[in-house]
């Protein structure tokens, strides 16, 4: 799964970086693709992003409307439960805060839903406070389909399975509802710094 060129194989993090690598993780410079099914290819003129569920009204954006929202570009580290971490990845996206602004809700939980049927649950607090974006660019270019394009959730402080590719919306909920991998024994929350890989960790 992890690919490394010979010169980088077994490369150790610089001392200054070791504090950025959660327990049980190793660095990769590659960008592995991990998908539970085929890559969907939804035409952009059929794509929408929807916030629905336990909220005062359902809101949707077309691709054009979504791209017109304010977005920000930032650098962050990502940590996959299969033990690779990648430092200093550069993303551009729309903050979930921006999508929730002006909506009235008391919901405490969210489920991201996607083309292809993948879901993942995240406490709503973890998607707010500028901690999560709907990313549509990676490293200065439109997000490639295999990495979740046209748009994916990015929640970099949780294991990367929470960063749902091909996201089409967020369902707000009063109760927590495990998503695809969470139902298959992955941890419900997935904090890489606590090594919350599997249920019971
Ligand atoms: N829709 C969808 N999102 C997904 C997945 C998936 O199978 N389908 N896999 C998850 C897992 S397990 C990981 S590790 C990351 C992988 O993202 P990448 O392929 O861009 O590295 O996406 C997450 N988001
Ligand atoms: Mo994963």
């Amino acid at each position: 799964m992890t690919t490394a060129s010979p010169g980088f194989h077994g490369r150790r993090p610089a001392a200054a970086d070791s504090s950025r690598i959660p327990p049980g993780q190793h660095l990769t410079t590659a960008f592995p693709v991990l998908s539970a099914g085929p890559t969907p290819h939804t035409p952009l003129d059929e794509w929408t992003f929807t916030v629905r569920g336990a909220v005062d009204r359902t809101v949707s954006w077309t691709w054009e409307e979504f791209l017109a929202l304010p977005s920000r570009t930032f650098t962050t580290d990502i940590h996959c439960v299969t033990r690779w971490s990648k430092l200093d990845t550069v993303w551009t996206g729309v903050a979930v805060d921006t999508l929730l602004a002006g909506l009235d809700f008391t919901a405490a939980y969210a489920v991201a839903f996607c083309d292809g049927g993948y879901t993942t649950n995240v406490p709503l607090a973890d998607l707010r406070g500028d901690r999560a974006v709907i990313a549509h660019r990676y490293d200065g270019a439109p997000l490639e389909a295999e990495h979740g394009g046209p748009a994916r959730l990015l929640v970099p402080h949780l294991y990367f399975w929470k960063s749902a590719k091909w996201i089409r919306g967020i369902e707000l909920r009063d109760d927590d509802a495990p998503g695809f991998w969470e139902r298959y024994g992955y941890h419900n929350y997935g904090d890489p710094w606590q090594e919350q890989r599997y249920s019971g960790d």
Side-chain angles (χ1 to χ4, degrees):
M1 180 225 50
T2 303
T3 55
S5 56
F8 286 97
H9 189 76
R11 172 177 169 264
R12 285 171 187 280
D17 284 341
S18 54
S19 65
R20 292 167 61 183
I21 304 168
Q25 297 292 110
H26 62 78
L27 282 186
T28 182
T29 53
F31 195 171
V33 172
L34 288 101
S35 304
T39 296
H41 293 276
T42 300
L44 292 180
D45 61 2
E46 292 171 20
W47 187 95
T48 51
F49 190 92
T50 300
V51 177
R52 68 181 190 204
V55 56
D56 61 326
R57 62 202 159 94
T58 298
V59 276
S60 283
W61 293 263
T62 65
W63 177 250
E64 206 170 80
E65 291 166 342
F66 174 76
L67 277 192
L69 294 170
S71 63
R72 65 183 185 93
T73 298
F74 60 99
T75 302
T76 192
D77 303 339
I78 54 179
H79 310 291
C80 176
V81 73
T82 61
R83 299 186 181 272
W84 56 266
S85 290
K86 187 171 174 61
L87 303 183
D88 295 322
T89 58
V90 181
W91 302 85
T92 303
V94 176
V96 174
D97 295 308
T98 300
L99 300 163
L100 298 179
L103 297 178
D104 195 18
F105 55 85
T106 55
Y109 302 96
V111 172
F113 57 92
C114 305
D115 284 322
Y118 186 87
T119 56
T120 189
N121 57 314
V122 185
L124 199 44
D126 287 80
L127 299 183
R128 304 180 77 184
D130 215 16
R131 301 173 85 194
V133 300
I134 309 302
H136 54 81
R137 297 179 74 80
Y138 173 75
D139 218 7
L143 183 60
E144 288 176 29
E146 61 180 5
H147 287 300
R152 79 181 297 165
L153 178 61
L154 186 70
V155 198
H157 67 281
L158 300 179
Y159 279 126
F160 207 33
W161 88 77
K162 296 286 186 180
S163 292
K165 304 197 281 190
W166 316 299
I167 191 169
R168 291 293 301 272
I170 296 171
E171 180 172 283
L172 305 191
R173 299 181 58 99
D174 296 318
D175 60 331
D176 199 6
F180 179 81
W181 283 120
E182 294 84 4
R183 286 195 297 266
Y184 276 96
Y186 278 47
H187 197 276
N188 195 54
Y189 182 63
D191 180 350
W193 297 96
Q194 305 296 324
E195 270 206 276
Q196 294 174 343
R197 299 178 189 275
Y198 307 109
S199 78
D201 284 352

